[in-house]
Amino acid sequence: EAGVAQSPRYKIIEKRQSVAFWCNPISGHATLYWYQQILGQGPKLLIQFQNNGVVDDSQLPKDRFSAERLKGVDSTLKIQPAKLEDSAVYLCASSGGRPATDTQYFGPGTRLTVL
Amino acid sequence: AQSVAQPEDQVNVAEGNPLTVKCTYSVSGNPYLFWYVQYPNRGLQFLLKYITGDNLVKGSYGFEAEFNKSQTSFHLKKPSALVSDSALYFCAVRPLGGYQKVTFGTGTKLQVIP
């Protein structure tokens, strides 16, 4: 079974520029998560989708971050404009069962550097 | 609000020795508990989870964890460490019941010395 795919793997941008990340979850997984992992910290949930609906986006900085999941499959996370503190690894994960107990499968992440 | 504490930033252990990576949690009600491992430049990989039932949970690669409700702990253990176990380990928790997000600890770097 193919895993969670993410692209790009690395991205370097200047502050105030825009950037977008793409995620393709495991086939059939209804739940998709975007996490931000700052160096030295654990992953922090930014947004969770159930199919194409948002379940939790309480920690998403909505003034600059946006995410969508069209047709309940692929998802994109966008940052506009980027700040220095957005430098982090952005992880996408998916799960196939009941969200409260099911295992999350993570992609390799996108490492963002904002200069 | 729920939280996870991993009190050790790094754990060093000799190859062949038993290893323990500590985790304590705080949550309202009963918890779901998870351990994930992260290798360099990779995403997190699931190791094991406690949902209910037996307090000793067995997972991938010979790892196990013991749920202790009175001490609110969920320590990760392995009887004999391998050099290939060297990685970053994350404990995570979410409350039982309804939708709640997963909260991860800050991670513990495990270094197995040959």
Side-chain angles (χ1 to χ4, degrees):
Chain A
E1 156 180 273
V4 176
Q6 289 187 249
S7 68
R9 291 295 311 275
Y10 304 92
K11 190 74 177 179
I12 300 173
I13 62 173
E14 302 274 338
K15 60 183 179 184
R16 291 188 289 273
Q17 285 186 324
S18 302
V19 65
F21 312 127
W22 173 82
C23 173
N24 181 238
I26 291 173
S27 178
H29 279 192
T31 310
L32 185 147
Y33 315 78
W34 281 104
Y35 288 90
Q36 180 192 58
Q37 186 179 17
I38 293 173
L39 187 65
Q41 299 182 18
K44 181 182 83 171
L45 180 69
L46 292 176
I47 189 167
Q48 177 176 333
F49 292 95
Q50 183 73 14
N51 296 307
N52 60 348
V54 175
V55 176
D56 187 333
D57 63 357
S58 59
Q59 298 189 110
L60 186 73
K62 298 180 186 63
D63 57 333
R64 298 185 300 108
F65 286 64
S66 64
E68 61 181 7
R69 189 183 186 196
L70 298 177
K71 301 181 181 179
V73 182
D74 293 7
S75 178
T76 57
L77 176 69
K78 297 179 181 178
I79 308 175
Q80 180 180 9
K83 293 184 175 181
L84 296 177
E85 59 261 35
D86 297 332
S87 293
V89 176
Y90 291 85
L91 296 166
C92 180
S94 70
S95 63
R98 216 161 52 90
T101 63
D102 203 32
T103 300
Q104 295 184 30
Y105 295 87
F106 284 80
T110 297
R111 183 177 298 277
L112 174 67
T113 301
V114 182
L115 303 176
Chain B
Q2 69 227 43
S3 64
V4 175
Q6 294 183 243
E8 300 154 318
D9 290 336
Q10 181 160 334
V11 170
N12 296 321
V13 63
E15 186 177 23
N17 282 3
L19 69 87
T20 299
V21 182
K22 295 179 180 177
C23 171
T24 59
Y25 66 90
S26 174
V27 69
S28 297
N30 293 320
Y32 294 137
L33 293 155
F34 306 83
W35 275 103
Y36 287 85
V37 60
Q38 187 174 35
Y39 297 99
N41 298 315
R42 302 278 297 275
L44 278 69
Q45 295 179 34
F46 171 76
L47 277 180
L48 51 80
K49 64 184 176 185
Y50 171 82
I51 304 299
T52 188
D54 194 347
N55 289 342
L56 184 63
V57 179
K58 294 187 182 297
S60 306
Y61 313 120
F63 284 94
E64 59 188 27
E66 186 166 12
F67 170 62
N68 187 316
K69 188 171 183 177
S70 63
Q71 297 184 7
T72 61
S73 67
F74 190 56
H75 301 330
L76 182 69
K77 300 181 179 183
K78 187 174 182 181
S80 178
L82 300 173
V83 173
S84 57
D85 293 330
S86 298
L88 191 56
Y89 290 80
F90 290 96
C91 181
V93 67
R94 76 196 315 168
L96 171 68
Y99 168 75
Q100 295 286 342
K101 65 178 178 290
V102 173
T103 298
F104 285 83
T106 53
T108 297
K109 183 178 180 181
L110 174 66
Q111 189 73 40
V112 180
I113 303 163

